[in-house]
Amino acid sequence: MNEDEIARGVARGLQEHERRRAEGNARSLLAGVALLGLGMIFFIWLVTYA
C-alpha cells in the first residue's frame, strides 16, 4: 500500500462516518418533530374535551 491508497481509504472512511452521523441526526430530528406533533395533538384534545 502506498500513501495515495492509504489517503483514499482514510477519506472514504471519513465520508462513510459523516454519512452515518448525518443519517442519525436526521432520524433524531424526525423523532423530535413527531413527538412535538403528538404533544400538540394531545394538548388540543385536552383543551377541547377535558
Side-chain angles (χ1 to χ4, degrees):
M1 284 183 95
N2 61 22
E3 289 181 21
D4 289 338
E5 291 172 342
I6 293 171
R8 272 188 297 241
V10 169
R12 198 167 35 246
L14 287 173
Q15 188 177 30
E16 179 69 18
H17 174 72
E18 178 63 25
R19 185 184 63 80
R20 288 183 182 171
R21 189 185 66 76
E23 286 178 358
N25 285 349
R27 253 185 245 113
S28 294
L29 179 64
L30 184 60
V33 169
L35 287 174
L36 184 63
L38 286 173
M40 289 172 56
I41 290 170
F42 176 74
F43 179 75
I44 291 170
W45 175 84
L46 186 67
V47 168
T48 303
Y49 296 110

